[in-house]
Structure formats: structure tokens, C-alpha cells
Amino acid sequence: MSAQDRLTDALYGIGWSTVKKLPEPVAVRLGNTIADAAWKRRGKGVRRLESNYARVVPDASPERLAELSRAGMRSYLRYWMESFRLPAWSAERIRNGFDPKDIHNLTDGLASGRGVVLALPHLGNWDLAGAWVTTKLQTPFTTVAERLKPETLYDRFVAYREGLGMEVLPHNGGSAFGTLARRLREGGLVCLVADRDLSASGVEVEFFGDTARMPAGPALLAQQTGALLLPVTLWYDDSPIMRGRVHPPIEVPEAGTKAEKTSVMTQALADAFAGGIADHPEDWHMLQRLWLADLEPRPSDGERP
């Protein structure tokens, strides 16, 4: 393990061991302080975030984009502060920490026995939403995590998410697909972050006026298993409670090839994501390149797990 990898792993370890012990108001202030310092440095992540916001809010002035990127970094650090603290939250704090609208789309889908795929963009805190599902709804689910470097950091994230009640599979090409399909055929729940393709072989979609690529997995799983595909969007307000919405199911088209159906469904997913992101751009934590026009050369940015 390189010195940089050891430092990265140590910093995350300090976060989980120290931040979770802080009183919540102190953690909030610490997160805002770190976010503001990072924003002022204008590193590549902040610049990329601002560039992405410029596509979401094309009429924004430079001053507005700067405001958005500062708010975006504060939202991003809120995600991290909450995530470091989640293992120490009580069941009551988790149940009261998330208030989703139209949750019946999920509960009715699960009650039908068909299985449900929840697909989310990098909005808000999906770990908190997941902990709410396992705690409030008493429903376990399966998800996929990218293999991070160093391996010890990946192991930390797997242990953290499994501690919240999730089954976590490694993102190794198509190896996880079969397990996800089995869980769905058993009537289970699968949750996938699905606004950025990590394989470079995803589905091209129109997204905020330009072409991006998103993973085909959610649409393929719904087609092959008969599961419902439900988009989910999340956002913060000025309260300690995260908000969200479970959108209506994306139907499988009656006609077309598998590829054509996958394209239509993935575009519908992208449209649902775009609506949530347009309403709350500062809560979209996309600090990496996304649109095809921005993907040359391939980014070396660190990936948010």
C-alpha cells in the first residue's frame, strides 16, 4: 500500500471513529468549515462541481454558480458528517431523519411480491435513505459498491453499509447482476446509484441538453425479473431531516428489442433524476465528469463510494 493510500485510509478511519462521537451541532459546524475551506481552494473537484452545475442551471451568472458550488460543498460535507455518524445514531434518530413522499410506491411494490429496483442519483444521502428503509420499513436490501483503493478503504465501506443492514456486492463487471436478479425474483429490494456509468458501456441518454451515459443495470434487471423500477430523488432543506420522493414505476415498453427497451427506460430514469436535480441542484454531489463531451481524457478524479 502506498503512503497516499495509507493516509487516505487513516483519514476515513479518523472520521468514523471521531466524528460520530461529536454532538450533532458541532459536527454540522465542522462540516461547514471543511466545506468552505475546500470551496475557497477551488480544487479540481470544486471546479468540476461548478462546471456540472453550469449545465443544470445554464442561465446562472458566475456569481450564482459560485453560490451553488459553495452550497453544494456544504451539502456534500453534510453527507459525510451524517455518514460518519450514522453507525452511532439510534433507531429513532434514523426513523425520524428521513421524510420521503409517495413511499406507497415502494411499499405497494414490495407487497406485490414482484421485487423492486430503487434507482437514485448522487443526491442527498442515500446511505441515510437506506438505513431508513432497513430501520423504519424493516426491509433488507442489496446494493453494489465500487471497489475502492486502497482495499482497506473498500472494506471499511462494506462493513459500514452492512452495519446499516445492507447486503453489499462488489462492482466487478457483470458478476453482481446474477445475485441482484435472484434477490428480485425472490421479491426482494435492490437499491442502485445510477446516474453515472462506471463501465463506459452504459446507455446514452439526453441529460440537461447534452449526451451522458448511465448504467443499463436497473432497466435490464426490471426487464429480466419483472421487478418494478422506481426512481428516487433526495434533497435537504434547512432542517435536520432529509426529504425525498419515490417516483412512480417506469414501465417496460411493450414493443422493441431488449436494447431499445433498455434505452427508453434509462432515458425515463434520467428524466426523473433531472427533475430532482433541477429542483435541488446544490444537493447533487457530482464532483466527477459525467457528460460525454467532458470525458476526454478519462478522469482520474476520486470516486465517491
Side-chain angles (χ1 to χ4, degrees):
M1 186 188 300
S2 69
Q4 180 63 42
D5 285 347
R6 286 196 297 272
L7 176 60
T8 299
D9 184 59
L11 289 173
Y12 279 101
I14 291 169
W16 268 300
S17 63
T18 303
V19 173
K20 70 180 180 182
K21 299 176 183 177
L22 297 175
E24 193 155 338
V26 175
V28 171
R29 289 197 297 272
L30 176 62
N32 286 340
T33 299
I34 295 171
D36 289 349
W39 177 76
K40 289 177 182 177
R41 284 199 303 271
R42 291 193 61 78
K44 64 181 179 181
V46 172
R47 296 195 306 272
R48 176 53 54 189
L49 182 68
E50 200 164 292
S51 175
N52 290 340
Y53 286 162
R55 290 181 178 270
V56 175
V57 191
D59 296 332
S61 65
E63 293 78 15
R64 173 59 178 149
L65 287 175
E67 291 173 359
L68 271 177
S69 64
R70 184 186 185 197
M73 290 304 296
R74 285 191 165 206
S75 177
Y76 185 48
L77 263 293
R78 177 171 172 174
Y79 161 84
W80 281 113
M81 292 296 110
E82 287 180 347
S83 294
F84 287 143
R85 293 171 53 76
L86 262 176
W89 279 15
S90 67
E92 181 181 9
R93 177 68 180 88
I94 292 173
R95 286 193 297 266
N96 294 333
F98 180 41
D99 179 27
K101 300 179 180 179
D102 300 327
I103 194 65
H104 66 89
N105 286 319
L106 171 57
T107 54
D108 290 351
L110 291 171
S112 74
R114 290 177 55 184
V116 174
V117 180
L118 292 180
L120 308 87
H122 285 76
L123 271 171
N125 187 341
W126 50 93
D127 286 328
L128 172 55
W132 185 90
V133 167
T134 60
T135 304
K136 175 77 171 182
L137 301 185
Q138 296 286 298
T139 301
F141 66 87
T142 304
T143 189
V144 174
E146 182 194 6
R147 280 203 173 276
L148 303 170
K149 293 182 179 180
E151 189 76 12
T152 51
L153 179 58
Y154 172 77
D155 292 341
R156 285 185 189 274
F157 271 97
V158 170
Y160 155 65
R161 286 172 173 148
E162 288 180 342
L164 298 175
M166 311 176 193
E167 178 187 23
V168 182
L169 307 177
H171 184 280
N172 285 336
S175 61
F177 191 91
T179 302
L180 297 175
R182 285 195 297 274
R183 298 292 182 268
L184 292 168
R185 291 190 180 103
E186 294 164 357
L189 176 62
V190 165
C191 300
L192 301 171
V193 179
D195 59 342
R196 183 169 184 254
D197 179 54
L198 298 177
S199 67
S201 60
V203 178
E204 291 189 4
V205 295
E206 191 278 331
F207 197 57
F208 290 105
D210 207 343
T211 303
R213 190 183 290 120
M214 294 188 180
L220 287 172
L221 284 166
Q223 288 180 63
Q224 294 191 19
T225 68
L228 291 174
L229 175 55
L230 304 178
V232 177
T233 52
L234 309 171
W235 66 91
Y236 291 126
D237 57 18
D238 294 331
S239 77
I241 300 171
M242 184 175 70
R243 313 295 174 175
R245 174 173 287 108
V246 181
H247 297 256
I250 292 175
E251 301 294 341
V252 178
E254 294 183 2
T257 65
K258 179 190 293 186
E260 289 168 344
K261 292 178 180 180
T262 301
S263 178
V264 170
M265 295 173 72
T266 306
Q267 182 63 63
L269 202 59
D271 292 343
F273 292 168
I277 292 166
D279 288 342
H280 306 279
E282 68 278 5
D283 293 323
W284 189 41
H285 308 148
M286 185 56 68
L287 280 72
Q288 297 85 21
R289 294 175 173 90
L290 179 70
W291 283 269
L292 299 191
D294 299 333
L295 287 180
E296 297 295 337
R298 292 289 295 177
S300 58
D301 311 37
E303 173 69 19
R304 173 178 167 182

